[in-house]
Amino acid sequence: MEPTETSPATSNITVRRGEPLVVITDVNKHYGDLHVLKNINATVNRGEVVVVIGPSGSGKSTLCRAINRLETIDDGSITIDGKELPAEGKALAQLRADVGMVFQAFNLFAHKTVLENVTLGPIKVRGMSKADAEKKAMALLERVGVANQAKKMPSQLSGGQQQRVAIARALAMDPKLILLDEPTSALDPEMINEVLEVMVDLANEGMTMIVVTHEMGFARRAADRVIFMAEGDIVEETTPEKFFTNPQSTRAKDFLSKIL
Ligand code: ADP
Ligand code: MG
């Protein structure tokens, strides 16, 4: 076994880097007649950054949502840290807290301040005191570069700032992993980099991340692995370098010729 180490991204969690954290086995999902996930098998190890890429409609979001149990699956299994996803109740709330999620649309609570957005989960789900939660939230907002916005409402922030708050909110729960589903695709171009920089920092600090993105620069700088999906299948799984320079499948070649 590898020596244990403490990751600065999750300073109170001992990270056993390299062991499987998310194990997806023979997962199928249909929406009516549409077979959106076709016998998916994948493993994400601790400390690993996996970029999921593929055409629109290929099932990337459905897969992310299944990992967080925002979607049910028809069959197969998904385990996190060796545990099967719970169906409901307190165990499910705990799982959701362990899996941070950042969506394409900045889904902050519109009627709460930036600071409240980040403290809410730790107070409600983790039972943290307000004072501790605020201290932690301010440190996280500092880390993503928006501490000076803490008292504002989300609508007063730019899209890039809101997305950085969403990342801080996810981190506030000390998640075991973070799922980011196209976190920069709704942003104006000049704001994309400020969010990608935060994501690269997180990756460098050892956070386990599953990132749906077409940002090749991020994939090359931060990803350990690229999973290419098309029509509900994992078609290729390789390093970013190999994927972008030498894709094997026709579907990947077609896809890359359209985005590059
Ligand atoms: P991606 O994120 O790769 O663009 P999605 O996982 O969002 O793909 O969607 C995969 C397919 O499933 C698409 O054809 C989409 O239209 C369909 N789909 C997604 N969500 C639903 C839903 N709630 N009901 C019915 N069909 C859905
Ligand atoms: Mg999607």
mmCIF file with all atom_site columns, all heavy atoms in Angstrom, residues 29-32 34-37 53-65 71 181-182 212 229 232, ligand 1:
data_model
loop_
_atom_site.group_PDB
_atom_site.id
_atom_site.type_symbol
_atom_site.label_atom_id
_atom_site.label_alt_id
_atom_site.label_comp_id
_atom_site.label_asym_id
_atom_site.label_entity_id
_atom_site.label_seq_id
_atom_site.pdbx_PDB_ins_code
_atom_site.Cartn_x
_atom_site.Cartn_y
_atom_site.Cartn_z
_atom_site.occupancy
_atom_site.B_iso_or_equiv
_atom_site.pdbx_formal_charge
_atom_site.auth_seq_id
_atom_site.auth_comp_id
_atom_site.auth_asym_id
_atom_site.auth_atom_id
_atom_site.pdbx_PDB_model_num
ATOM   1   N N   . LYS A 1 29  ? -28.735 2.873  -18.121 1.00 0.00 ? 29  LYS A N   1
ATOM   2   C CA  . LYS A 1 29  ? -29.806 3.833  -17.818 1.00 0.00 ? 29  LYS A CA  1
ATOM   3   C C   . LYS A 1 29  ? -30.578 4.119  -19.102 1.00 0.00 ? 29  LYS A C   1
ATOM   4   O O   . LYS A 1 29  ? -29.988 4.340  -20.158 1.00 0.00 ? 29  LYS A O   1
ATOM   5   C CB  . LYS A 1 29  ? -29.165 5.135  -17.310 1.00 0.00 ? 29  LYS A CB  1
ATOM   6   C CG  . LYS A 1 29  ? -30.081 6.329  -17.268 1.00 0.00 ? 29  LYS A CG  1
ATOM   7   C CD  . LYS A 1 29  ? -30.878 6.362  -15.996 1.00 0.00 ? 29  LYS A CD  1
ATOM   8   C CE  . LYS A 1 29  ? -31.857 7.527  -15.949 1.00 0.00 ? 29  LYS A CE  1
ATOM   9   N NZ  . LYS A 1 29  ? -32.790 7.410  -14.819 1.00 0.00 ? 29  LYS A NZ  1
ATOM   10  N N   . HIS A 1 30  ? -31.892 4.046  -18.995 1.00 0.00 ? 30  HIS A N   1
ATOM   11  C CA  . HIS A 1 30  ? -32.759 4.407  -20.127 1.00 0.00 ? 30  HIS A CA  1
ATOM   12  C C   . HIS A 1 30  ? -33.634 5.592  -19.746 1.00 0.00 ? 30  HIS A C   1
ATOM   13  O O   . HIS A 1 30  ? -34.032 5.721  -18.591 1.00 0.00 ? 30  HIS A O   1
ATOM   14  C CB  . HIS A 1 30  ? -33.711 3.255  -20.490 1.00 0.00 ? 30  HIS A CB  1
ATOM   15  C CG  . HIS A 1 30  ? -33.062 2.040  -21.067 1.00 0.00 ? 30  HIS A CG  1
ATOM   16  N ND1 . HIS A 1 30  ? -32.387 1.122  -20.297 1.00 0.00 ? 30  HIS A ND1 1
ATOM   17  C CD2 . HIS A 1 30  ? -32.971 1.606  -22.356 1.00 0.00 ? 30  HIS A CD2 1
ATOM   18  C CE1 . HIS A 1 30  ? -31.916 0.162  -21.079 1.00 0.00 ? 30  HIS A CE1 1
ATOM   19  N NE2 . HIS A 1 30  ? -32.251 0.423  -22.338 1.00 0.00 ? 30  HIS A NE2 1
ATOM   20  N N   . TYR A 1 31  ? -33.915 6.437  -20.722 1.00 0.00 ? 31  TYR A N   1
ATOM   21  C CA  . TYR A 1 31  ? -35.043 7.362  -20.615 1.00 0.00 ? 31  TYR A CA  1
ATOM   22  C C   . TYR A 1 31  ? -36.051 6.857  -21.632 1.00 0.00 ? 31  TYR A C   1
ATOM   23  O O   . TYR A 1 31  ? -35.872 7.071  -22.836 1.00 0.00 ? 31  TYR A O   1
ATOM   24  C CB  . TYR A 1 31  ? -34.637 8.789  -20.965 1.00 0.00 ? 31  TYR A CB  1
ATOM   25  C CG  . TYR A 1 31  ? -33.772 9.483  -19.929 1.00 0.00 ? 31  TYR A CG  1
ATOM   26  C CD1 . TYR A 1 31  ? -32.493 9.923  -20.253 1.00 0.00 ? 31  TYR A CD1 1
ATOM   27  C CD2 . TYR A 1 31  ? -34.243 9.701  -18.641 1.00 0.00 ? 31  TYR A CD2 1
ATOM   28  C CE1 . TYR A 1 31  ? -31.706 10.578 -19.311 1.00 0.00 ? 31  TYR A CE1 1
ATOM   29  C CE2 . TYR A 1 31  ? -33.461 10.356 -17.693 1.00 0.00 ? 31  TYR A CE2 1
ATOM   30  C CZ  . TYR A 1 31  ? -32.201 10.785 -18.038 1.00 0.00 ? 31  TYR A CZ  1
ATOM   31  O OH  . TYR A 1 31  ? -31.423 11.428 -17.107 1.00 0.00 ? 31  TYR A OH  1
ATOM   32  N N   . GLY A 1 32  ? -37.068 6.150  -21.197 1.00 0.00 ? 32  GLY A N   1
ATOM   33  C CA  . GLY A 1 32  ? -37.996 5.528  -22.146 1.00 0.00 ? 32  GLY A CA  1
ATOM   34  C C   . GLY A 1 32  ? -37.227 4.581  -23.061 1.00 0.00 ? 32  GLY A C   1
ATOM   35  O O   . GLY A 1 32  ? -36.537 3.681  -22.573 1.00 0.00 ? 32  GLY A O   1
ATOM   36  N N   . LEU A 1 34  ? -34.796 5.456  -24.972 1.00 0.00 ? 34  LEU A N   1
ATOM   37  C CA  . LEU A 1 34  ? -33.430 5.945  -25.203 1.00 0.00 ? 34  LEU A CA  1
ATOM   38  C C   . LEU A 1 34  ? -32.454 5.320  -24.197 1.00 0.00 ? 34  LEU A C   1
ATOM   39  O O   . LEU A 1 34  ? -32.600 5.489  -22.988 1.00 0.00 ? 34  LEU A O   1
ATOM   40  C CB  . LEU A 1 34  ? -33.410 7.480  -25.072 1.00 0.00 ? 34  LEU A CB  1
ATOM   41  C CG  . LEU A 1 34  ? -32.100 8.185  -25.378 1.00 0.00 ? 34  LEU A CG  1
ATOM   42  C CD1 . LEU A 1 34  ? -31.746 8.048  -26.856 1.00 0.00 ? 34  LEU A CD1 1
ATOM   43  C CD2 . LEU A 1 34  ? -32.199 9.657  -24.989 1.00 0.00 ? 34  LEU A CD2 1
ATOM   44  N N   . HIS A 1 35  ? -31.473 4.596  -24.728 1.00 0.00 ? 35  HIS A N   1
ATOM   45  C CA  . HIS A 1 35  ? -30.475 3.942  -23.877 1.00 0.00 ? 35  HIS A CA  1
ATOM   46  C C   . HIS A 1 35  ? -29.325 4.929  -23.657 1.00 0.00 ? 35  HIS A C   1
ATOM   47  O O   . HIS A 1 35  ? -28.409 5.008  -24.465 1.00 0.00 ? 35  HIS A O   1
ATOM   48  C CB  . HIS A 1 35  ? -29.989 2.675  -24.599 1.00 0.00 ? 35  HIS A CB  1
ATOM   49  C CG  . HIS A 1 35  ? -29.327 1.681  -23.701 1.00 0.00 ? 35  HIS A CG  1
ATOM   50  N ND1 . HIS A 1 35  ? -28.932 0.442  -24.135 1.00 0.00 ? 35  HIS A ND1 1
ATOM   51  C CD2 . HIS A 1 35  ? -28.984 1.725  -22.381 1.00 0.00 ? 35  HIS A CD2 1
ATOM   52  C CE1 . HIS A 1 35  ? -28.376 -0.223 -23.126 1.00 0.00 ? 35  HIS A CE1 1
ATOM   53  N NE2 . HIS A 1 35  ? -28.394 0.529  -22.063 1.00 0.00 ? 35  HIS A NE2 1
ATOM   54  N N   . VAL A 1 36  ? -29.392 5.711  -22.584 1.00 0.00 ? 36  VAL A N   1
ATOM   55  C CA  . VAL A 1 36  ? -28.424 6.810  -22.410 1.00 0.00 ? 36  VAL A CA  1
ATOM   56  C C   . VAL A 1 36  ? -27.086 6.381  -21.826 1.00 0.00 ? 36  VAL A C   1
ATOM   57  O O   . VAL A 1 36  ? -26.071 7.010  -22.097 1.00 0.00 ? 36  VAL A O   1
ATOM   58  C CB  . VAL A 1 36  ? -28.939 7.976  -21.534 1.00 0.00 ? 36  VAL A CB  1
ATOM   59  C CG1 . VAL A 1 36  ? -29.669 8.978  -22.355 1.00 0.00 ? 36  VAL A CG1 1
ATOM   60  C CG2 . VAL A 1 36  ? -29.757 7.506  -20.375 1.00 0.00 ? 36  VAL A CG2 1
ATOM   61  N N   . LEU A 1 37  ? -27.085 5.343  -20.978 1.00 0.00 ? 37  LEU A N   1
ATOM   62  C CA  . LEU A 1 37  ? -25.816 4.810  -20.474 1.00 0.00 ? 37  LEU A CA  1
ATOM   63  C C   . LEU A 1 37  ? -25.803 3.322  -20.796 1.00 0.00 ? 37  LEU A C   1
ATOM   64  O O   . LEU A 1 37  ? -26.667 2.566  -20.355 1.00 0.00 ? 37  LEU A O   1
ATOM   65  C CB  . LEU A 1 37  ? -25.678 5.041  -18.963 1.00 0.00 ? 37  LEU A CB  1
ATOM   66  C CG  . LEU A 1 37  ? -25.623 6.502  -18.500 1.00 0.00 ? 37  LEU A CG  1
ATOM   67  C CD1 . LEU A 1 37  ? -25.549 6.578  -16.976 1.00 0.00 ? 37  LEU A CD1 1
ATOM   68  C CD2 . LEU A 1 37  ? -24.448 7.265  -19.120 1.00 0.00 ? 37  LEU A CD2 1
ATOM   69  N N   . ILE A 1 53  ? -15.356 13.801 -21.867 1.00 0.00 ? 53  ILE A N   1
ATOM   70  C CA  . ILE A 1 53  ? -15.529 14.632 -23.055 1.00 0.00 ? 53  ILE A CA  1
ATOM   71  C C   . ILE A 1 53  ? -16.396 13.853 -24.044 1.00 0.00 ? 53  ILE A C   1
ATOM   72  O O   . ILE A 1 53  ? -16.425 12.615 -24.000 1.00 0.00 ? 53  ILE A O   1
ATOM   73  C CB  . ILE A 1 53  ? -14.118 14.978 -23.598 1.00 0.00 ? 53  ILE A CB  1
ATOM   74  C CG1 . ILE A 1 53  ? -14.121 16.107 -24.610 1.00 0.00 ? 53  ILE A CG1 1
ATOM   75  C CG2 . ILE A 1 53  ? -13.403 13.782 -24.159 1.00 0.00 ? 53  ILE A CG2 1
ATOM   76  C CD1 . ILE A 1 53  ? -12.714 16.678 -24.841 1.00 0.00 ? 53  ILE A CD1 1
ATOM   77  N N   . GLY A 1 54  ? -17.103 14.558 -24.895 1.00 0.00 ? 54  GLY A N   1
ATOM   78  C CA  . GLY A 1 54  ? -17.920 13.866 -25.885 1.00 0.00 ? 54  GLY A CA  1
ATOM   79  C C   . GLY A 1 54  ? -19.017 14.765 -26.407 1.00 0.00 ? 54  GLY A C   1
ATOM   80  O O   . GLY A 1 54  ? -19.321 15.790 -25.798 1.00 0.00 ? 54  GLY A O   1
ATOM   81  N N   . PRO A 1 55  ? -19.618 14.367 -27.523 1.00 0.00 ? 55  PRO A N   1
ATOM   82  C CA  . PRO A 1 55  ? -20.648 15.196 -28.133 1.00 0.00 ? 55  PRO A CA  1
ATOM   83  C C   . PRO A 1 55  ? -21.837 15.422 -27.208 1.00 0.00 ? 55  PRO A C   1
ATOM   84  O O   . PRO A 1 55  ? -22.072 14.637 -26.289 1.00 0.00 ? 55  PRO A O   1
ATOM   85  C CB  . PRO A 1 55  ? -21.097 14.385 -29.358 1.00 0.00 ? 55  PRO A CB  1
ATOM   86  C CG  . PRO A 1 55  ? -20.105 13.312 -29.545 1.00 0.00 ? 55  PRO A CG  1
ATOM   87  C CD  . PRO A 1 55  ? -19.388 13.120 -28.262 1.00 0.00 ? 55  PRO A CD  1
ATOM   88  N N   . SER A 1 56  ? -22.568 16.476 -27.478 1.00 0.00 ? 56  SER A N   1
ATOM   89  C CA  . SER A 1 56  ? -23.798 16.768 -26.760 1.00 0.00 ? 56  SER A CA  1
ATOM   90  C C   . SER A 1 56  ? -24.750 15.579 -26.881 1.00 0.00 ? 56  SER A C   1
ATOM   91  O O   . SER A 1 56  ? -24.894 15.008 -27.955 1.00 0.00 ? 56  SER A O   1
ATOM   92  C CB  . SER A 1 56  ? -24.406 18.029 -27.376 1.00 0.00 ? 56  SER A CB  1
ATOM   93  O OG  . SER A 1 56  ? -25.600 18.322 -26.744 1.00 0.00 ? 56  SER A OG  1
ATOM   94  N N   . GLY A 1 57  ? -25.351 15.192 -25.764 1.00 0.00 ? 57  GLY A N   1
ATOM   95  C CA  . GLY A 1 57  ? -26.307 14.093 -25.781 1.00 0.00 ? 57  GLY A CA  1
ATOM   96  C C   . GLY A 1 57  ? -25.677 12.723 -25.591 1.00 0.00 ? 57  GLY A C   1
ATOM   97  O O   . GLY A 1 57  ? -26.369 11.707 -25.645 1.00 0.00 ? 57  GLY A O   1
ATOM   98  N N   . SER A 1 58  ? -24.363 12.680 -25.327 1.00 0.00 ? 58  SER A N   1
ATOM   99  C CA  . SER A 1 58  ? -23.710 11.373 -25.227 1.00 0.00 ? 58  SER A CA  1
ATOM   100 C C   . SER A 1 58  ? -23.869 10.723 -23.851 1.00 0.00 ? 58  SER A C   1
ATOM   101 O O   . SER A 1 58  ? -23.461 9.580  -23.655 1.00 0.00 ? 58  SER A O   1
ATOM   102 C CB  . SER A 1 58  ? -22.230 11.480 -25.613 1.00 0.00 ? 58  SER A CB  1
ATOM   103 O OG  . SER A 1 58  ? -21.578 12.473 -24.866 1.00 0.00 ? 58  SER A OG  1
ATOM   104 N N   . GLY A 1 59  ? -24.432 11.449 -22.886 1.00 0.00 ? 59  GLY A N   1
ATOM   105 C CA  . GLY A 1 59  ? -24.695 10.858 -21.575 1.00 0.00 ? 59  GLY A CA  1
ATOM   106 C C   . GLY A 1 59  ? -23.761 11.330 -20.474 1.00 0.00 ? 59  GLY A C   1
ATOM   107 O O   . GLY A 1 59  ? -23.796 10.802 -19.357 1.00 0.00 ? 59  GLY A O   1
ATOM   108 N N   . LYS A 1 60  ? -22.968 12.354 -20.744 1.00 0.00 ? 60  LYS A N   1
ATOM   109 C CA  . LYS A 1 60  ? -21.987 12.830 -19.759 1.00 0.00 ? 60  LYS A CA  1
ATOM   110 C C   . LYS A 1 60  ? -22.667 13.350 -18.492 1.00 0.00 ? 60  LYS A C   1
ATOM   111 O O   . LYS A 1 60  ? -22.286 12.986 -17.383 1.00 0.00 ? 60  LYS A O   1
ATOM   112 C CB  . LYS A 1 60  ? -21.118 13.940 -20.374 1.00 0.00 ? 60  LYS A CB  1
ATOM   113 C CG  . LYS A 1 60  ? -20.457 13.558 -21.689 1.00 0.00 ? 60  LYS A CG  1
ATOM   114 C CD  . LYS A 1 60  ? -19.621 14.681 -22.262 1.00 0.00 ? 60  LYS A CD  1
ATOM   115 C CE  . LYS A 1 60  ? -20.373 15.954 -22.600 1.00 0.00 ? 60  LYS A CE  1
ATOM   116 N NZ  . LYS A 1 60  ? -21.360 15.821 -23.706 1.00 0.00 ? 60  LYS A NZ  1
ATOM   117 N N   . SER A 1 61  ? -23.669 14.200 -18.685 1.00 0.00 ? 61  SER A N   1
ATOM   118 C CA  . SER A 1 61  ? -24.363 14.755 -17.519 1.00 0.00 ? 61  SER A CA  1
ATOM   119 C C   . SER A 1 61  ? -25.127 13.676 -16.764 1.00 0.00 ? 61  SER A C   1
ATOM   120 O O   . SER A 1 61  ? -25.153 13.663 -15.531 1.00 0.00 ? 61  SER A O   1
ATOM   121 C CB  . SER A 1 61  ? -25.331 15.864 -17.935 1.00 0.00 ? 61  SER A CB  1
ATOM   122 O OG  . SER A 1 61  ? -24.623 16.966 -18.428 1.00 0.00 ? 61  SER A OG  1
ATOM   123 N N   . THR A 1 62  ? -25.733 12.775 -17.510 1.00 0.00 ? 62  THR A N   1
ATOM   124 C CA  . THR A 1 62  ? -26.478 11.686 -16.865 1.00 0.00 ? 62  THR A CA  1
ATOM   125 C C   . THR A 1 62  ? -25.531 10.863 -15.990 1.00 0.00 ? 62  THR A C   1
ATOM   126 O O   . THR A 1 62  ? -25.877 10.494 -14.863 1.00 0.00 ? 62  THR A O   1
ATOM   127 C CB  . THR A 1 62  ? -27.150 10.792 -17.926 1.00 0.00 ? 62  THR A CB  1
ATOM   128 O OG1 . THR A 1 62  ? -27.977 11.614 -18.755 1.00 0.00 ? 62  THR A OG1 1
ATOM   129 C CG2 . THR A 1 62  ? -27.991 9.712  -17.280 1.00 0.00 ? 62  THR A CG2 1
ATOM   130 N N   . LEU A 1 63  ? -24.344 10.604 -16.488 1.00 0.00 ? 63  LEU A N   1
ATOM   131 C CA  . LEU A 1 63  ? -23.368 9.841  -15.703 1.00 0.00 ? 63  LEU A CA  1
ATOM   132 C C   . LEU A 1 63  ? -22.994 10.601 -14.426 1.00 0.00 ? 63  LEU A C   1
ATOM   133 O O   . LEU A 1 63  ? -22.987 10.021 -13.333 1.00 0.00 ? 63  LEU A O   1
ATOM   134 C CB  . LEU A 1 63  ? -22.125 9.542  -16.554 1.00 0.00 ? 63  LEU A CB  1
ATOM   135 C CG  . LEU A 1 63  ? -21.065 8.680  -15.883 1.00 0.00 ? 63  LEU A CG  1
ATOM   136 C CD1 . LEU A 1 63  ? -21.613 7.293  -15.540 1.00 0.00 ? 63  LEU A CD1 1
ATOM   137 C CD2 . LEU A 1 63  ? -19.827 8.554  -16.771 1.00 0.00 ? 63  LEU A CD2 1
ATOM   138 N N   . CYS A 1 64  ? -22.707 11.890 -14.557 1.00 0.00 ? 64  CYS A N   1
ATOM   139 C CA  . CYS A 1 64  ? -22.379 12.697 -13.377 1.00 0.00 ? 64  CYS A CA  1
ATOM   140 C C   . CYS A 1 64  ? -23.518 12.671 -12.373 1.00 0.00 ? 64  CYS A C   1
ATOM   141 O O   . CYS A 1 64  ? -23.307 12.509 -11.170 1.00 0.00 ? 64  CYS A O   1
ATOM   142 C CB  . CYS A 1 64  ? -22.126 14.150 -13.763 1.00 0.00 ? 64  CYS A CB  1
ATOM   143 S SG  . CYS A 1 64  ? -20.547 14.438 -14.518 1.00 0.00 ? 64  CYS A SG  1
ATOM   144 N N   . ARG A 1 65  ? -24.729 12.857 -12.888 1.00 0.00 ? 65  ARG A N   1
ATOM   145 C CA  . ARG A 1 65  ? -25.878 12.908 -11.995 1.00 0.00 ? 65  ARG A CA  1
ATOM   146 C C   . ARG A 1 65  ? -26.134 11.551 -11.336 1.00 0.00 ? 65  ARG A C   1
ATOM   147 O O   . ARG A 1 65  ? -26.581 11.485 -10.192 1.00 0.00 ? 65  ARG A O   1
ATOM   148 C CB  . ARG A 1 65  ? -27.109 13.396 -12.755 1.00 0.00 ? 65  ARG A CB  1
ATOM   149 C CG  . ARG A 1 65  ? -26.971 14.871 -13.189 1.00 0.00 ? 65  ARG A CG  1
ATOM   150 C CD  . ARG A 1 65  ? -28.020 15.264 -14.219 1.00 0.00 ? 65  ARG A CD  1
ATOM   151 N NE  . ARG A 1 65  ? -29.374 15.132 -13.692 1.00 0.00 ? 65  ARG A NE  1
ATOM   152 C CZ  . ARG A 1 65  ? -29.965 16.027 -12.915 1.00 0.00 ? 65  ARG A CZ  1
ATOM   153 N NH1 . ARG A 1 65  ? -29.341 17.149 -12.614 1.00 0.00 ? 65  ARG A NH1 1
ATOM   154 N NH2 . ARG A 1 65  ? -31.168 15.820 -12.452 1.00 0.00 ? 65  ARG A NH2 1
ATOM   155 N N   . GLU A 1 71  ? -29.815 11.079 -10.359 1.00 0.00 ? 71  GLU A N   1
ATOM   156 C CA  . GLU A 1 71  ? -30.532 10.197 -11.280 1.00 0.00 ? 71  GLU A CA  1
ATOM   157 C C   . GLU A 1 71  ? -30.425 8.779  -10.743 1.00 0.00 ? 71  GLU A C   1
ATOM   158 O O   . GLU A 1 71  ? -29.390 8.403  -10.192 1.00 0.00 ? 71  GLU A O   1
ATOM   159 C CB  . GLU A 1 71  ? -29.857 10.177 -12.664 1.00 0.00 ? 71  GLU A CB  1
ATOM   160 C CG  . GLU A 1 71  ? -29.991 11.433 -13.460 1.00 0.00 ? 71  GLU A CG  1
ATOM   161 C CD  . GLU A 1 71  ? -31.377 11.674 -14.001 1.00 0.00 ? 71  GLU A CD  1
ATOM   162 O OE1 . GLU A 1 71  ? -32.257 10.797 -13.841 1.00 0.00 ? 71  GLU A OE1 1
ATOM   163 O OE2 . GLU A 1 71  ? -31.573 12.760 -14.561 1.00 0.00 ? 71  GLU A OE2 1
ATOM   164 N N   . ASP A 1 181 ? -19.678 19.700 -14.018 1.00 0.00 ? 181 ASP A N   1
ATOM   165 C CA  . ASP A 1 181 ? -20.318 19.401 -15.306 1.00 0.00 ? 181 ASP A CA  1
ATOM   166 C C   . ASP A 1 181 ? -20.326 20.656 -16.173 1.00 0.00 ? 181 ASP A C   1
ATOM   167 O O   . ASP A 1 181 ? -21.142 21.542 -15.971 1.00 0.00 ? 181 ASP A O   1
ATOM   168 C CB  . ASP A 1 181 ? -21.736 18.886 -15.072 1.00 0.00 ? 181 ASP A CB  1
ATOM   169 C CG  . ASP A 1 181 ? -22.373 18.365 -16.357 1.00 0.00 ? 181 ASP A CG  1
ATOM   170 O OD1 . ASP A 1 181 ? -21.727 18.396 -17.425 1.00 0.00 ? 181 ASP A OD1 1
ATOM   171 O OD2 . ASP A 1 181 ? -23.535 17.915 -16.286 1.00 0.00 ? 181 ASP A OD2 1
ATOM   172 N N   . GLU A 1 182 ? -19.424 20.725 -17.112 1.00 0.00 ? 182 GLU A N   1
ATOM   173 C CA  . GLU A 1 182 ? -19.262 21.876 -18.006 1.00 0.00 ? 182 GLU A CA  1
ATOM   174 C C   . GLU A 1 182 ? -19.270 23.198 -17.228 1.00 0.00 ? 182 GLU A C   1
ATOM   175 O O   . GLU A 1 182 ? -20.075 24.095 -17.505 1.00 0.00 ? 182 GLU A O   1
ATOM   176 C CB  . GLU A 1 182 ? -20.353 21.871 -19.090 1.00 0.00 ? 182 GLU A CB  1
ATOM   177 C CG  . GLU A 1 182 ? -20.316 20.576 -19.898 1.00 0.00 ? 182 GLU A CG  1
ATOM   178 C CD  . GLU A 1 182 ? -20.840 20.753 -21.321 1.00 0.00 ? 182 GLU A CD  1
ATOM   179 O OE1 . GLU A 1 182 ? -20.606 21.822 -21.907 1.00 0.00 ? 182 GLU A OE1 1
ATOM   180 O OE2 . GLU A 1 182 ? -21.457 19.804 -21.833 1.00 0.00 ? 182 GLU A OE2 1
ATOM   181 N N   . VAL A 1 212 ? -16.506 17.313 -16.623 1.00 0.00 ? 212 VAL A N   1
ATOM   182 C CA  . VAL A 1 212 ? -17.000 17.302 -17.994 1.00 0.00 ? 212 VAL A CA  1
ATOM   183 C C   . VAL A 1 212 ? -16.613 18.642 -18.604 1.00 0.00 ? 212 VAL A C   1
ATOM   184 O O   . VAL A 1 212 ? -17.050 19.690 -18.126 1.00 0.00 ? 212 VAL A O   1
ATOM   185 C CB  . VAL A 1 212 ? -18.532 17.126 -18.051 1.00 0.00 ? 212 VAL A CB  1
ATOM   186 C CG1 . VAL A 1 212 ? -19.009 17.136 -19.504 1.00 0.00 ? 212 VAL A CG1 1
ATOM   187 C CG2 . VAL A 1 212 ? -18.962 15.855 -17.344 1.00 0.00 ? 212 VAL A CG2 1
ATOM   188 N N   . MET A 1 229 ? -16.887 9.873  -24.375 1.00 0.00 ? 229 MET A N   1
ATOM   189 C CA  . MET A 1 229 ? -18.188 9.193  -24.481 1.00 0.00 ? 229 MET A CA  1
ATOM   190 C C   . MET A 1 229 ? -18.868 9.569  -25.788 1.00 0.00 ? 229 MET A C   1
ATOM   191 O O   . MET A 1 229 ? -18.764 10.702 -26.247 1.00 0.00 ? 229 MET A O   1
ATOM   192 C CB  . MET A 1 229 ? -19.108 9.603  -23.326 1.00 0.00 ? 229 MET A CB  1
ATOM   193 C CG  . MET A 1 229 ? -18.718 8.996  -21.990 1.00 0.00 ? 229 MET A CG  1
ATOM   194 S SD  . MET A 1 229 ? -19.899 9.431  -20.682 1.00 0.00 ? 229 MET A SD  1
ATOM   195 C CE  . MET A 1 229 ? -21.301 8.383  -21.136 1.00 0.00 ? 229 MET A CE  1
ATOM   196 N N   . GLY A 1 232 ? -23.777 7.169  -25.256 1.00 0.00 ? 232 GLY A N   1
ATOM   197 C CA  . GLY A 1 232 ? -23.962 6.334  -24.076 1.00 0.00 ? 232 GLY A CA  1
ATOM   198 C C   . GLY A 1 232 ? -22.880 5.307  -23.825 1.00 0.00 ? 232 GLY A C   1
ATOM   199 O O   . GLY A 1 232 ? -22.960 4.540  -22.864 1.00 0.00 ? 232 GLY A O   1
HETATM 200 P P1  . ADP B 2 .   ? -24.623 15.207 -22.372 1.00 0.00 ? 1   ADP B P1  1
HETATM 201 O O1  . ADP B 2 .   ? -24.423 15.738 -21.001 1.00 0.00 ? 1   ADP B O1  1
HETATM 202 O O2  . ADP B 2 .   ? -23.507 14.339 -22.846 1.00 0.00 ? 1   ADP B O2  1
HETATM 203 O O3  . ADP B 2 .   ? -24.932 16.292 -23.368 1.00 0.00 ? 1   ADP B O3  1
HETATM 204 P P2  . ADP B 2 .   ? -27.039 14.073 -21.256 1.00 0.00 ? 1   ADP B P2  1
HETATM 205 O O4  . ADP B 2 .   ? -26.589 13.092 -20.245 1.00 0.00 ? 1   ADP B O4  1
HETATM 206 O O5  . ADP B 2 .   ? -27.529 15.384 -20.785 1.00 0.00 ? 1   ADP B O5  1
HETATM 207 O O6  . ADP B 2 .   ? -25.900 14.252 -22.355 1.00 0.00 ? 1   ADP B O6  1
HETATM 208 O O7  . ADP B 2 .   ? -28.200 13.458 -22.130 1.00 0.00 ? 1   ADP B O7  1
HETATM 209 C C1  . ADP B 2 .   ? -28.089 12.189 -22.772 1.00 0.00 ? 1   ADP B C1  1
HETATM 210 C C2  . ADP B 2 .   ? -29.365 11.917 -23.526 1.00 0.00 ? 1   ADP B C2  1
HETATM 211 O O8  . ADP B 2 .   ? -30.422 11.732 -22.609 1.00 0.00 ? 1   ADP B O8  1
HETATM 212 C C3  . ADP B 2 .   ? -29.778 13.057 -24.447 1.00 0.00 ? 1   ADP B C3  1
HETATM 213 O O9  . ADP B 2 .   ? -30.328 12.488 -25.613 1.00 0.00 ? 1   ADP B O9  1
HETATM 214 C C4  . ADP B 2 .   ? -30.852 13.759 -23.657 1.00 0.00 ? 1   ADP B C4  1
HETATM 215 O O10 . ADP B 2 .   ? -31.766 14.390 -24.502 1.00 0.00 ? 1   ADP B O10 1
HETATM 216 C C5  . ADP B 2 .   ? -31.479 12.639 -22.867 1.00 0.00 ? 1   ADP B C5  1
HETATM 217 N N1  . ADP B 2 .   ? -32.010 13.079 -21.576 1.00 0.00 ? 1   ADP B N1  1
HETATM 218 C C6  . ADP B 2 .   ? -31.305 13.695 -20.598 1.00 0.00 ? 1   ADP B C6  1
HETATM 219 N N2  . ADP B 2 .   ? -32.074 13.909 -19.518 1.00 0.00 ? 1   ADP B N2  1
HETATM 220 C C7  . ADP B 2 .   ? -33.291 13.414 -19.819 1.00 0.00 ? 1   ADP B C7  1
HETATM 221 C C8  . ADP B 2 .   ? -34.530 13.317 -19.098 1.00 0.00 ? 1   ADP B C8  1
HETATM 222 N N3  . ADP B 2 .   ? -34.658 13.772 -17.851 1.00 0.00 ? 1   ADP B N3  1
HETATM 223 N N4  . ADP B 2 .   ? -35.575 12.739 -19.740 1.00 0.00 ? 1   ADP B N4  1
HETATM 224 C C9  . ADP B 2 .   ? -35.463 12.263 -20.990 1.00 0.00 ? 1   ADP B C9  1
HETATM 225 N N5  . ADP B 2 .   ? -34.332 12.308 -21.717 1.00 0.00 ? 1   ADP B N5  1
HETATM 226 C C10 . ADP B 2 .   ? -33.263 12.877 -21.145 1.00 0.00 ? 1   ADP B C10 1
#
